Amino acid sequence: MPKKTVLIVYSGGLDTSVCIPMMREDYGFDHVVTVTVDVGLPAGELKQAEEKAKLLGTEHYSIDAREEFVTDYIFPAIKANGDYQGYPISTSIARPLIAMKAVEVAKKLNVDAFCHGCTGKGNDQFRFEFVMRTFMPDTPIIAPMREHTMTRTWEIEYAQKKGIPIGQSINKIWSIDENLWGRSIEGGLLEEPNYAPPEEIFTWTKSWKNAKSTPTEVTIEFANGVPVAIDGVKMSPLDLILKAHEIAGDNGVGRVDIMEDRMIGLKVRENYECPAARIIIPAHKALEDLVCTTEERAFKVLVDQKWGELAYEGLWFDPFKDDLEAFINQIQPRVTGAVTLRLFKGSCQVIGRASKYALYNEDLASFDSKTFDQSEAVGIVKTHGMQARMYRTVKDK
Ligand code: ARG
C-alpha cells in the first residue's frame, strides 16, 4: 500500500504540534510533512518550530517568505490603505501566502491531505481553505481543533504524554499572531470588551509614559504608491518596513483596540500592534489626497473599503479583487512624493506633503492671489443648491 501523507501548516505552537501525533494515531497517516512559513515570526520561533518538527519526526520545510510578503501582500495593502473596521489588516493578508506556500509543497510531494490548526470560530479557516481548495480542490482538509473541542489543559496533558516539548505554553495567557505588518493579541481577560488592555500585551510599541519625550518628525517617500525611503535614505522593502516599525514603536504609535465582526458573525474584541502600518498608511493616504481629484478621492474610499473586506475574508484570488486593483493601481503612479509626519506619545499627525503630481496650485488657492477672478464665482454661487431651494417653496403645496 502506498504511504499516506498529510501536510500540516505548522506554526510550531501547541495546537499544530498536537496535530502531529494525532495525524498518525487517530487519522491513520503514516507520513507527516510540516511546513512553516516565515512572514515575520518572532525571533527564534522558526528555529523552535524546526527543532520540534525534527524531534517529532516529520519531513519538515521552512520557507522564508518575508520579502514576498512585503512586496506582494503588504504593498498592495498599502495601495488600498488596507483596513477592516479600524484594523490595518495583517493576519488576514499573511494567511493566503502561508497557504500558497503549503500548496506548493503539497503539489511537489503529492500529499493526500492538508491539516491546519484553526478552530471553527475564527477567520483563518476560511482564508487557508479558500486557497487550498482553489489550487488543490480534490485534496481533503482536516481541522482537528474544529472537529474536537480541545481545552488548553487537555492539549498540554496530551502533549506531555506524547513527548511534545510544551515550552512556555503553560504560561501563555494570550493568543498571539505576529507577522511583519502586525501583531494580534486576543484571548483571556481581553475577551471582555470593557477590560483595559494591560501593558504586558504590548511588545512592539512603547506606552505613552515610556515613549520618547520629544516629538519625532519623519519623512516617508513614496514612488508609485509604495514607500521607498525614510528621511531621505532609500531602503529595500523589507528594511523599510522594519525601520518604520521601529520609529513608530518608539513613539508609542500603533496600538489598536477595536470591536471586530468576524466572518461567521461573532463580534469580538481585538487588540493589535501595527506601528509600521499606522504611519505608512496615513502617509500614503495623505499623498493620495494631494494628487487625486475630488471624485477619485470619494470613490477610492469605497474601493478601499471593498478591498479591505475581501482581503479580510482571505479572498485573495477573487476576480473582484483584481477588478478593484485595476482602479487602485491606475492611480498609484501619481502617488509619488513625500509626506512628513510628527509622532509624539502615541499620536501621528501629517504635517507636510509634496508631489510633482499635486493637483494644487498655490497661486490659485491662496488668499492673496489675484490669478483667480473671483467675480466669476458669483454666477456659480447663485445656482448652488437651486433644487433644494425650490423644494422649500413647493413642499407645503
Ligand atoms: N482577528 C484577526 C483576524 O482574523 C486576528 C486573529 C489572529 N489570531 C490570534 N490568535 N491572535 O484577522
Side-chain angles (χ1 to χ4, degrees):
M1 247 202 22
K3 284 209 299 182
K4 283 220 152 269
T5 304
V6 61
L7 181 152
I8 304 178
V9 183
Y10 190 56
S11 69
L14 182 63
D15 291 339
T16 50
S17 295
V18 159
C19 289
I20 297 174
M22 252 179 202
M23 285 300 111
R24 294 184 179 126
E25 294 166 23
D26 303 317
Y27 290 82
F29 289 96
D30 30 29
H31 191 55
V32 179
V33 174
T34 43
V35 177
T36 305
V37 184
D38 186 5
V39 283
L41 285 167
E45 270 193 20
L46 187 68
K47 202 154 182 353
Q48 265 175 37
E50 284 167 0
E51 280 164 9
K52 267 195 198 173
K54 192 163 179 213
L55 186 81
L56 299 167
T58 72
E59 177 180 345
H60 180 77
Y61 295 85
S62 282
I63 299 168
D64 181 357
R66 287 174 306 160
E67 297 269 0
E68 193 176 341
F69 182 48
V70 177
T71 53
D72 298 356
Y73 292 78
I74 294 179
F75 278 6
I78 293 170
K79 292 176 183 173
N81 299 309
D83 178 277
Y84 174 77
Q85 297 185 329
Y87 149 47
I89 41 176
S90 44
T91 295
S92 24
I93 57 169
R95 298 312 190 192
L97 175 58
I98 295 171
M100 226 23 237
K101 294 292 166 198
V103 164
E104 279 168 26
V105 177
K107 282 200 167 159
K108 216 181 293 162
L109 302 181
N110 200 12
V111 307
D112 301 292
F114 285 108
C115 167
H116 63 69
C118 307
T119 68
K121 286 187 177 174
N123 299 319
D124 290 331
Q125 53 182 338
F126 293 92
R127 299 166 182 153
F128 278 149
E129 294 192 24
F130 168 67
V131 175
M132 291 164 179
R133 246 176 229 115
T134 303
F135 296 101
M136 291 182 77
D138 301 322
T139 308
I141 304 166
I142 308 167
M145 274 66 213
R146 185 171 61 195
E147 277 176 36
H148 318 277
T149 318
M150 300 176 216
T151 63
R152 204 150 181 86
T153 324
W154 183 89
E155 281 186 40
I156 289 171
E157 274 170 25
Y158 178 84
Q160 279 168 330
K161 243 192 300 183
K162 300 290 170 192
I164 302 171
I166 49 161
Q168 284 301 302
S169 295
I170 279 183
N171 305 321
K172 275 191 185 149
I173 3 180
W174 318 111
S175 167
I176 295 170
D177 178 65
E178 218 171 285
N179 68 46
L180 286 167
W181 199 226
R183 182 168 174 273
S184 138
I185 315 104
E186 48 182 38
L189 290 165
L190 285 171
E191 284 170 358
E192 162 54 54
N194 208 18
Y195 172 76
E199 203 43 47
E200 64 165 84
I201 70 165
F202 302 109
T203 61
W204 286 2
T205 53
K206 295 203 167 129
S207 67
W208 68 267
K209 252 192 234 153
N210 296 331
K212 283 182 60 185
S213 54
T214 49
T216 301
E217 284 181 14
V218 57
T219 301
I220 307 180
E221 227 171 280
F222 289 83
N224 301 310
V226 296
V228 290
I230 293 183
D231 290 333
V233 183
K234 294 234 178 302
M235 280 173 241
S236 76
L238 178 56
D239 288 344
L240 189 138
I241 300 298
L242 296 174
K243 185 72 189 164
H245 174 117
E246 183 193 309
I247 297 172
D250 280 349
N251 284 283
V253 172
R255 296 184 179 187
V256 175
D257 181 349
I258 54 162
M259 292 311 296
E260 185 172 305
D261 293 299
R262 279 196 195 152
M263 290 167 65
I264 54 167
L266 281 175
K267 195 183 278 298
V268 289
R269 195 271 187 90
E270 295 280 353
N271 275 272
Y272 297 99
E273 275 191 300
C274 33
R278 274 289 164 118
I279 63 169
I280 292 174
I281 291 180
H284 176 265
K285 177 86 177 49
L287 208 49
E288 283 189 341
D289 293 348
L290 181 66
V291 303
C292 289
T293 67
T294 316
E295 294 293 343
E296 283 176 327
R297 284 176 69 177
F299 194 63
K300 185 143 192 306
V301 172
L302 307 177
V303 172
D304 287 351
Q305 154 119 11
K306 278 288 163 202
W307 190 96
E309 284 166 16
L310 272 184
Y312 182 75
E313 295 183 1
L315 295 172
W316 203 256
F317 304 102
D318 190 311
F320 185 39
K321 184 169 158 292
D322 297 337
D323 304 339
L324 296 170
E325 283 179 354
F327 174 78
I328 292 171
N329 292 336
Q330 172 71 20
I331 286 175
Q332 298 309 304
R334 273 179 280 156
V335 188
T336 295
V339 174
T340 302
L341 307 162
R342 182 180 291 140
L343 316 178
F344 183 57
K345 290 198 177 285
S347 76
C348 166
Q349 244 181 312
V350 174
I351 58 164
R353 70 286 273 161
S355 167
K356 61 181 172 191
Y357 300 110
L359 299 182
Y360 171 81
N361 182 327
E362 193 168 351
D363 198 34
L364 281 176
S366 164
F367 283 110
D368 305 326
S369 132
K370 297 219 169 24
T371 323
F372 185 80
D373 179 357
Q374 297 191 44
S375 70
E376 284 174 10
V378 176
I380 308 171
V381 172
K382 274 188 187 158
T383 58
H384 181 60
M386 192 168 61
Q387 296 185 3
R389 279 186 282 119
M390 208 178 278
Y391 164 77
R392 292 272 140 200
T393 66
V394 300
K395 78 177 170 60
D396 297 323
K397 270 191 181 165

